[in-house]
Amino acid sequence: MSGANRKRRKRLKKNGRKRFNRILSKTLLAFIVVVAAGCFLRRPVMSKYYQWKIDSPKEPVEDVILEGILIDGKDVSGMNFEKAYNYISSNVDTNTEGNIITIKSSDGKYEFNYTFQDFELEFDIEGAVKNAMSFAKDSSSPDWWRQFKALEGGTVDFGIMSYNKAMVKSFVNAISDKITVEPKDAGLKRVNGQFVVTPSQTGYTIDKDTLLNQVYDLIDKRQFGEEVSFDIESTEPKHKDADVSGITGIIGTYSSPYTGGDDNRIQNLRNGCAKINGVVVYPDEEFSTNERFNPCTEANGWASAGTIVNGRIEDSIGGGMCQVSSALYMALLNAEVKITERFNHSMKVGYADYAFDATLAGDYKDLKFKNDTGCAIFIEAYLANSNVVINIYGKEIHPAGRTLKFYNKLIEETEPDEPVTKEDDTLPEGTTKVDLTAKKGYVYELYKEVYENGVLKETVKINKSTYLPRRQVTLVGTKKEEASTQNN
């Protein structure tokens, strides 16, 4: 093909594409015009339709209570405010004037009447209806979801009555206070040498919680014509007048001499006597000396005085109290009551012979006895003429002519360990000092001989007491003398 023909064919092809593009452009333009014209022609019809929908009058939606809502147990679903209010009002008696609530004891001895006003009881139908109308309707409320779920799960009941539960409780407490009496044991005092009995007293009480719930239930159910009754429970005292009325006189006594000069020790003797003087121990009751003496503090009347500490006499709070407990021990033995706990000292004390002592320590060493005489025991304790005097008053249960004799018996001796020496930097070098002397250890038993009209009837072992040996301790001085200096 010649070059001229090729050029002509290219030109024809190029012109064909231009014509196609012009035709396509015109076709698209015509389509757009037609569509636009159609939309323009239809606009008045569509606008008129939707404007009618907007401007058309709407049927008013009445505000009514949702399904599942009750007021005072009555279904008010679908009711408006007025209808619900009238419905509830016509079915409920809301008169609070003149009505009373009666609470009385089952024995008829006590009766209490209260008005609605006393409990601040009132009815509010209008408020209940308002709450019912708005319930679960405001989706913007933080409580809406909870309210919605409550209706979904069942019914919701709005009450129309309210009252002050705290007021009800205060009245029930007042009833309890008026009736309640604590039981009181018969007491015993010694006045001008004579015993005076304080009569026992029966206790009375009511079940406050049960009564309170009964009153709540009556009000909640609005059973105002009914009475609430309660029982009065009585509690007899543990110890009555007969328990303290049989004392015949002193059944046991003991005097423990002491020396003067140590005011703190004498203070402790006086304090110990004061803590047990006038104590009444009822039949079958157990007495604890520690319970009367503790705590062993200055605030409790005890002073610092000599007492046994690790084999030596040292000052500590309460020193001397064991002389009171030891005197009490011997008075109790003479009274022949049952000793249930007693401990001896670790070494002999100056105020009591071996096996005649009774030590106290913290809460683990005590002097206890149980009153097995069938009558109250009255303890009298005081200081007189440089003696700790203990008298046990009670009922003599042994025959006349009965006398006792107590004696101790050495059972065993224990030699102390070999002497020891200890260095002491407070003593001059080369000097010695005996810090503790050696003492033997002993085991003693205490016995009681019972005589009737001077005739020995029996011998009874009372206790076995072990006293520890003590080795001699000698101190050797190590303190060097300072070298003397001479000024020239």
Side-chain angles (χ1 to χ4, degrees):
M1 182 181 293
S2 65
N5 287 335
R6 282 198 298 272
K7 289 181 179 181
R8 189 169 70 85
R9 290 189 62 168
K10 288 182 180 180
R11 188 169 55 252
L12 289 174
K13 189 175 182 179
K14 182 177 182 180
N15 290 337
R17 283 199 299 271
K18 287 182 178 180
R19 284 196 301 272
F20 176 77
N21 289 337
R22 285 198 296 271
I23 293 171
L24 180 61
S25 297
K26 289 180 180 181
T27 303
L28 289 174
L29 179 60
F31 177 77
I32 292 170
V33 169
V34 171
V35 171
C39 291
F40 178 78
L41 291 175
R42 288 178 58 84
R43 184 175 181 278
V45 179
M46 296 296 287
S47 296
K48 183 176 180 181
Y49 172 76
Y50 283 110
Q51 192 64 41
W52 173 80
K53 294 290 291 181
I54 293 171
D55 296 338
S56 62
K58 297 178 181 178
E59 288 293 329
V61 178
E62 186 177 22
D63 189 12
V64 296
I65 299 172
L66 299 179
E67 291 292 328
I69 294 180
L70 313 176
I71 296 179
D72 198 42
K74 299 173 179 59
D75 189 359
V76 291
S77 302
M79 296 184 185
N80 60 21
F81 180 90
E82 182 178 4
K83 187 174 181 180
Y85 181 86
N86 291 335
Y87 173 60
I88 299 300
S89 297
S90 63
N91 285 279
V92 176
D93 180 11
T94 59
N95 179 33
T96 60
E97 296 296 328
N99 287 300
I100 61 173
I101 297 171
T102 300
I103 303 174
K104 63 190 302 183
S105 60
S106 55
D107 61 6
K109 185 176 180 180
Y110 297 94
E111 182 174 320
F112 306 89
N113 294 308
Y114 302 98
T115 66
F116 286 177
Q117 287 71 33
D118 289 329
F119 297 153
E120 298 180 0
L121 188 149
E122 59 184 10
F123 293 92
D124 184 10
I125 297 177
E126 180 178 354
V129 175
K130 286 182 178 179
N131 290 333
M133 292 290 300
S134 61
F135 191 79
K137 289 183 178 179
D138 184 4
S139 60
S140 64
S141 169
D143 293 330
W144 175 80
W145 179 248
R146 176 183 59 80
Q147 294 175 352
F148 174 79
K149 296 301 290 184
L151 277 181
E152 186 179 57
T155 60
V156 176
D157 193 355
F158 288 91
I160 62 172
M161 184 188 72
S162 65
Y163 61 97
N164 190 332
K165 286 195 170 185
M167 291 294 293
V168 177
K169 187 173 183 178
S170 69
F171 283 117
V172 170
N173 286 337
I175 293 173
S176 177
D177 292 342
K178 183 177 180 63
I179 296 173
T180 299
V181 176
E182 293 297 326
K184 186 177 180 181
D185 289 333
L188 191 65
K189 295 186 294 184
R190 189 164 171 77
V191 181
N192 298 324
Q194 300 295 321
F195 284 105
V196 178
V197 174
T198 304
S200 63
Q201 180 174 277
T202 302
Y204 298 98
T205 187
I206 66 172
D207 188 339
K208 288 196 299 183
D209 293 336
T210 297
L211 175 57
L212 183 63
N213 289 329
Q214 286 178 325
V215 177
Y216 284 158
D217 190 58
L218 179 144
I219 297 175
D220 291 337
K221 294 179 179 179
R222 302 207 287 272
Q223 297 172 338
F224 302 128
E226 299 182 9
E227 296 179 344
V228 175
S229 64
F230 61 89
D231 296 326
I232 299 176
E233 300 177 1
S234 61
T235 304
E236 293 299 320
K238 185 177 180 180
H239 303 290
K240 297 188 177 182
D241 299 5
D243 293 332
V244 297
S245 300
I247 291 180
T248 57
I250 293 177
I251 59 174
T253 185
Y254 192 79
S255 294
S256 176
Y258 64 87
T259 57
D262 189 339
D263 292 340
N264 281 0
R265 180 178 177 82
I266 294 174
Q267 175 184 328
N268 289 339
L269 296 179
R270 183 174 292 108
N271 190 49
C273 287
K275 291 187 180 301
I276 61 175
N277 185 50
V279 170
V280 177
V281 185
Y282 295 98
D284 297 321
E285 185 177 48
E286 187 176 51
F287 172 93
S288 163
T289 308
N290 275 342
E291 286 182 4
R292 296 290 173 173
F293 282 5
N294 286 338
C296 186
T297 62
E298 291 182 351
N300 197 29
W302 301 107
S304 181
T307 189
I308 300 174
V309 179
N310 296 323
R312 67 176 71 238
I313 303 298
E314 296 181 1
D315 282 349
S316 63
I317 301 298
M321 67 167 61
C322 289
Q323 183 167 355
V324 179
S325 62
S326 295
L328 175 61
Y329 176 56
M330 289 308 303
L332 294 170
L333 289 181
N334 281 308
E336 296 189 273
V337 297
K338 184 178 181 180
I339 307 296
T340 56
E341 186 174 324
R342 171 262 176 191
F343 296 89
N344 62 274
H345 290 78
S346 60
M347 56 186 288
K348 186 180 181 301
V349 292
Y351 51 80
D353 201 356
Y354 292 106
F356 285 83
D357 60 321
T359 189
L360 305 173
D363 58 358
Y364 57 92
K365 288 186 178 180
D366 199 355
L367 171 63
K368 295 181 180 180
F369 73 92
K370 184 176 182 179
N371 181 359
D372 56 353
T373 67
C375 176
I377 282 176
F378 183 91
I379 301 175
E380 185 176 58
Y382 56 90
L383 300 186
N385 302 320
S386 297
N387 279 272
V388 176
V389 181
I390 308 290
N391 294 321
I392 307 296
Y393 290 86
K395 180 181 179 181
E396 184 57 71
I397 59 176
H398 300 102
R402 180 185 178 94
T403 57
L404 307 176
K405 179 182 176 181
F406 294 91
Y407 67 92
N408 59 6
K409 180 180 180 182
L410 178 62
I411 303 301
E412 181 182 341
E413 288 187 9
T414 305
E415 293 296 328
D417 291 338
E418 291 296 319
V420 296
T421 58
K422 294 183 178 180
E423 293 183 345
D424 189 327
D425 59 6
T426 66
L427 295 177
E429 186 178 20
T431 63
T432 61
K433 177 184 177 181
V434 176
D435 185 40
L436 289 176
T437 59
K439 285 183 177 292
K440 291 182 178 182
Y442 299 98
V443 177
Y444 272 87
E445 291 179 344
L446 181 65
Y447 288 88
K448 175 178 71 173
E449 291 181 342
V450 179
Y451 295 84
E452 292 183 5
N453 298 317
V455 179
L456 178 62
K457 291 295 183 181
E458 63 175 335
T459 301
V460 181
K461 188 174 85 170
I462 301 299
N463 71 49
K464 182 178 181 180
S465 301
T466 300
Y467 299 88
L468 301 177
R470 185 178 69 184
R471 67 169 59 183
Q472 179 173 305
V473 177
T474 302
L475 302 179
V476 177
T478 60
K479 182 180 180 181
K480 297 182 180 296
E481 293 185 7
E482 296 180 1
S484 61
T485 60
Q486 183 175 1
N487 295 328
N488 294 326

